């Protein structure tokens, strides 16, 4: 497998997997393999550094049956532990909190310091074991771009190695300066990989989100396959060739503002009423005008993006960080979608976090995010794209259950899905009859 290959939708690395067993999305046996061999051995985003800004702050991360908590220790260092008491196996924390001076098991009040060392039982000063002999189980922890990654395998590669070229390639964005106030979570009736698949290909745009064809070129969306991770770059502010040139300036303007009005600094209320499109000077396109307006907004955030070319000002740099994180990266704004397995192979959670670059003097520059669990009704207020995706996710899972011995077929525009499954095999090392054909 090439360590990195660039391609367009039309000419993707021919070595990428194109047939995927449906059972990977439906079988309990496969989900158990993922718990044992993927989630227990891979770097994954647990939270952001803003979730645990001060000593004693903690944040639980649940992935299928596994639970890990991140803790800022008494010296300000990030730590992560398996959420289990070495006494009788009770989970130690639930959710998130602040100001923890020690970790106390709720079952028998065994106590641990912020470095995970056993401090004794509730009886003052009485130690029931040697210090360190009953420490909490550490999990590898590191951060990049403001995101806290964990890996239960202490023998794992360094995070910087796992991320390959991504930190260098995304340096221009300055994600460590971004803030997010609300983590939205939604339970969905499909496998976690159905979620990832839907968010890493643009092939469904014409069928599921036809309104987006007025503002995005889903045909000329070059894909880059790294080793584990993948990306595509989607041009915005231009109509899809599928519309055969029938998009008016007014339609492009209205759809752009409805979907990406925040990139011009518009409030949610104003994107509901886009108004008439601005004048387009002789020799320019509406995309040029949009670029100018986005530049004007970015200038209010500081000088970070002063020297970007038009491509980086307006287009979508869309990354899949294996296995379950998808970054929709724009200058000054970034959306993260994280998929997590649920109780069965047919359920999962979508976490949606929206980040924006806030100026240095912004009063809420690095807020501690609140978690908000969404209901299906809440989703309808979040624009048209997400409800369209959710409706198709449920139907995808229902269909996958009809022929669990079947093979899915991928087209070149879905090469990122094929690559994800190849890397999944690397971690899972499945039995012969479960491998990619
Ligand atoms: Fe979609």
């Amino acid at each position: 497998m090439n360590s990195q290959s660039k391609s367009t939708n039309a000419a993707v690395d021919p070595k990428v997997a194109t047939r995927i067993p449906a059972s990977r999305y439906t079988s309990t046996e496969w989900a158990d393999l993922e718990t044992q061999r993927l989630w227990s051995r891979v770097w994954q985003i647990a939270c952001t550094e803003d979730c645990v800004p001060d000593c004693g702050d903690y944040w639980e991360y649940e992935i299928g049956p596994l639970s890990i908590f991140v803790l800022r220790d008494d010296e300000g260092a990030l730590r992560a532990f398996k959420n289990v008491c070495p006494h009788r196996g009770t989970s130690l924390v639930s959710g998130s909190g602040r100001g923890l001076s020690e970790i106390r098991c709720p079952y028998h009040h065994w106590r641990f310091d912020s470095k995970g060392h056993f401090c004794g039982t509730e009886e003052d000063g009485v130690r029931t074991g040697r210090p360190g002999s009953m420490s909490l189980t550490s999990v590898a922890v590191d951060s990049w771009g403001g995101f806290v990654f964990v890996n239960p395998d202490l023998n794992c590669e360094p995070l910087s190695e796992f991320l390959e070229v991504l930190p260098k390639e995304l340096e221009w964005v300055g994600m460590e300066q971004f803030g997010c106030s609300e983590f939205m979570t939604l339970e969905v009736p499909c496998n976690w990989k159905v979620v990832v698949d839907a968010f890493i290909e643009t092939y469904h745009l014409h069928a599921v989100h036809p309104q987006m064809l007025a503002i995005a070129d889903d045909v000329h969306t070059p894909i880059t396959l790294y080793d584990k991770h993948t990306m595509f770059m989607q041009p915005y502010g231009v109509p899809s060739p599928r519309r055969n040139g029938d998009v008016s300036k007014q339609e492009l303007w209205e759809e752009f503002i409805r979907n990406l009005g925040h990139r011009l600094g518009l409030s949610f209320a104003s994107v509901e009423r886009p108004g008439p499109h601005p004048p387009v000077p002789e020799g320019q396109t509406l995309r040029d005008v949009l670029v100018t307006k986005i530049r004007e907004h970015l200038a209010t955030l500081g000088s970070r993006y002063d020297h970007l070319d038009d491509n980086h000002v307006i287009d979508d740099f869309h990354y899949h960080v294996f296995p379950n994180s998808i970054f929709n990266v724009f200058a000054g704004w970034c959306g993260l979608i994280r998929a997590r397995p649920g109780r069965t192979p047919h359920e999962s959670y979508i976490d949606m976090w929206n980040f924006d670059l806030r100026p240095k003097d912004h009063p809420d520059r690095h807020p501690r995010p609140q978690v908000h669990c969404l209901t299906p009704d809440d989703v309808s207020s979040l624009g048209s794209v997400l409800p369209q995706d959710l409706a198709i996710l449920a139907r995808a899972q229902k269909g996958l259950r009809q022929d669990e011995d079947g093979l899915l077929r991928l087209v070149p525009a879905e090469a990122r899905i094929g690559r994800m499954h190849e890397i999944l095999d690397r971690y899972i090392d499945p039995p012969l009859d479960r491998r990619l054909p």
Side-chain angles (χ1 to χ4, degrees), residues 198-199 204-205 208-209 385 389:
F199 285 99
H204 68 273
L205 219 67
V208 178
H209 315 296
V385 172
D389 279 324

Side-chain angles (χ1 to χ4, degrees), residues 6 39 67 193 210 251 308 346 379 431:
K6 281 180 186 270
W39 305 117
S67 171
K193 296 184 294 299
E251 182 184 359
L308 289 184
H346 311 291
V379 175

Side-chain angles (χ1 to χ4, degrees), residues 85-87 92 101-132 134-136:
C85 179
H87 173 215
L92 295 160
S101 57
E102 63 174 19
I103 302 147
R104 194 172 69 163
C105 177
Y107 203 173
H108 302 92
H109 285 183
W110 281 33
R111 297 180 292 116
F112 305 86
D113 68 19
S114 65
K115 295 180 176 63
H117 300 134
F118 178 61
C119 303
T121 61
E122 187 67 4
E123 295 85 36
D124 230 355
V126 178
R127 290 183 181 275
T128 55
R130 283 181 294 113
M134 288 184 291
S135 296
L136 302 184

